[in-house]
Amino acid sequence: MGRFGGIVVRGLAMETRWLDATGQAELVASGQVTALELLEAAIERIEALDPAINAVVMRWFDMARETASGQLPDGVLRGVPFLLKDWVAACAGQPLCNGNQRLKELAPPSPADTTLVSRFRRAGLVIAGRTSTPEFANQATTQSRAWGITRNPWNLAYSPGGSSGGAAAAVAAGMIPVAHATDGSGSIRIPAACCGLVGLKPSQGRISAGPFGDESGSGVELCVSRTVRDTAAVLDAVHGPGVGDTVTAPAPRRPYPQELSGDSGPLRIGLLDHYPRGGAVHPDCAQAVRQTAHLLQALGHHVEPAFPTALADPTITDRLSIVASSHMAQMIARLSETLRREATPDDVEHHTWALARKGREAGAVEYAQALAALTRHRRAMHQWWADGHDLLLTPTTGEPPAPLDAFTPDPTDPLANRHLQAKYTAFTRAFNLVGQPAISLPLHWNDAGLPVGVQLVAAYGREDQLINIAAQLEKAKPFSSVKPCN
């Protein structure tokens, strides 16, 4: 038996707590356990562990039991319990609140599954509920008026990152082995770094956003997991275009699980161990990335100080601010449609309203100019890989996990903590803008026992390289054996 926060879990719930999704699926496939037994074990862990963490905010256990008891698809992850993030992943008949209090009160049921959710089902995953997210997934931490504060299993006084902090906390605590996550500015990679997990942001257009979304934006979806093989399995099960997709990534060269062989050969890797525009990152983050550079060299790769100069472009932040605030204004407009009245400041949190107000003030020409500048930036960034580098190695975040009170909003200055948010997105957001795949790996823990992630970035469409190199690093420094509790 194991203990977390004074709560005890026993039997199968304990035996499978730290078993990854691939291992759990193998138990079901071999007949050692049933999908329902595996689900009940996950439910036991959620009910025992989540009160201290507050990660699982919607519990669809009866629906999941019905699914697990029925004829599951013969997918690679058949029978594995799974949670969806409370953001964009519509699940037929179930509410989607996007971290907003007003939508939580209304709880409107979704009319259909998204393409990705239907593919999760096809892979055999058993959907059992939703994890927490900040309002409209717009913070580098996970706390909201709707769902409260989600805590980091490594230290409950610290943030799990955001906006997929609920997913990351649930997986890191051992409630489930893998969970849905999304990434618009780093929201897969930041919580993966803060919670000691693997977090892959796929290329733009790798995962269909259908039938409601648009692949041409900066947001993408996939998962957080404890092992590289789980991330490879999920990506292989759900990638590919859907009907009407606006962007389609090139097809992989072979199934992603085959990249776990780690047979890449020597790679040329650029090292960035400081902020792109100058200035030192936190010593914990610098140490993490430098140690990883030494490990990569020991594995036979060539690592040199180098990074795309476009990363240091001082004009991009202002351009991005125009686009991001305009999109938030659009979200408020959609909220008005759902409410069937004009949304007011009382319907959203202070920082959400302040950001949307900036978006409403931006003119159409200013918005178009920002998009044009971001297109030029994208081409300049991609050129660095085209000129001969295979990967870029950076810290995932410029700071280790922060105390929760560091993100407490100031109602009199709702955007005051944006400078803190920027330290967590300085190395992640750029690759949402340009559509390239990037992965965060848990290769370091600081003296306080908190995980610190490192990021590797590949050329557009080269998730295969990231899985390959991640498998090499995982073999050299097995990280899934490091756990936040017994």
Side-chain angles (χ1 to χ4, degrees), residues 291-303:
Q291 287 179 346
T292 302
H294 290 309
L295 180 55
L296 287 165
Q297 288 176 319
L299 291 170
H301 303 291
H302 176 69
V303 183

Side-chain angles (χ1 to χ4, degrees), residues 20 28 31 45 93 121 157 161 177 210 219 253 267 292 297 311 343 364 381 457 466 472 475 477:
D20 71 357
V28 175
R45 291 192 299 268
R121 295 188 195 274
R253 304 177 183 199
L267 298 176
T292 302
Q297 288 176 319
L311 268 177
M381 287 278 285
V457 186
L466 294 179
Q472 294 177 44
K475 182 178 180 181
K477 191 174 182 179

Side-chain angles (χ1 to χ4, degrees), residues 199-474:
L200 171 64
K201 181 201 85 70
S203 297
Q204 183 185 50
R206 176 68 66 204
I207 305 296
S208 175
F212 310 117
D214 177 7
E215 298 77 21
S216 67
S218 62
V220 293
E221 302 175 70
L222 193 62
C223 67
V224 286
S225 71
R226 286 196 293 270
T227 62
V228 177
R229 70 176 185 172
D230 276 3
T231 290
V234 174
L235 179 61
D236 203 60
V238 302
H239 78 88
V243 176
D245 282 6
T246 53
V247 179
T248 301
R253 304 177 183 199
R254 58 182 179 175
Y256 289 113
Q258 291 185 18
E259 301 299 339
L260 298 170
S261 62
D263 57 357
S264 67
L267 298 176
R268 185 183 179 194
I269 302 172
L271 169 64
L272 175 61
D273 60 2
H274 55 82
Y275 287 113
R277 298 177 197 169
V281 299
H282 191 282
D284 291 345
C285 302
Q287 183 181 4
V289 76
R290 291 166 189 164
Q291 287 179 346
T292 302
H294 290 309
L295 180 55
L296 287 165
Q297 288 176 319
L299 291 170
H301 303 291
H302 176 69
V303 183
E304 59 187 2
F307 68 96
T309 57
L311 268 177
D313 186 341
T315 68
I316 292 302
T317 299
D318 288 342
R319 302 293 193 181
L320 174 61
S321 178
I322 293 168
V323 175
S325 59
S326 297
H327 287 175
M328 185 58 72
Q330 182 188 29
M331 290 179 198
I332 299 299
R334 289 179 180 174
L335 178 62
S336 297
E337 293 175 1
T338 302
L339 298 176
R340 297 184 180 181
R341 60 171 174 78
E342 195 70 23
T344 72
D346 291 337
D347 296 315
V348 296
E349 298 178 30
H350 295 297
H351 63 88
T352 300
W353 190 261
L355 190 61
R357 184 173 61 243
K358 288 182 62 177
R360 287 190 292 270
E361 292 169 354
V365 173
E366 190 178 16
Y367 180 78
Q369 288 175 328
L371 289 181
L374 292 177
T375 297
R376 294 191 296 271
H377 177 70
R378 177 189 182 108
R379 294 186 185 281
M381 287 278 285
H382 285 216
Q383 191 62 48
W384 187 80
W385 279 263
D387 287 342
H389 282 89
D390 297 299
L391 299 171
L392 175 66
L393 171 66
T394 79
T396 304
T397 60
E399 294 280 329
L404 283 164
D405 58 9
F407 290 100
T408 301
D410 179 357
T412 65
D413 188 3
L415 300 180
N417 68 1
R418 301 304 281 188
H419 71 284
L420 177 60
Q421 304 276 350
K423 291 182 178 180
Y424 287 89
T425 61
F427 298 96
T428 57
R429 175 176 281 183
F431 303 105
N432 293 89
L433 295 180
V434 302
Q436 292 176 237
I439 194 169
S440 180
L441 298 173
L443 291 169
H444 184 72
W445 276 259
N446 65 15
D447 291 341
L450 294 168
V452 178
V454 300
Q455 176 179 242
L456 287 151
V457 186
Y460 179 71
R462 296 305 308 271
E463 288 90 339
D464 58 320
Q465 277 192 331
L466 294 179
I467 292 171
N468 199 303
I469 196 71
Q472 294 177 44
L473 290 166
E474 184 181 35

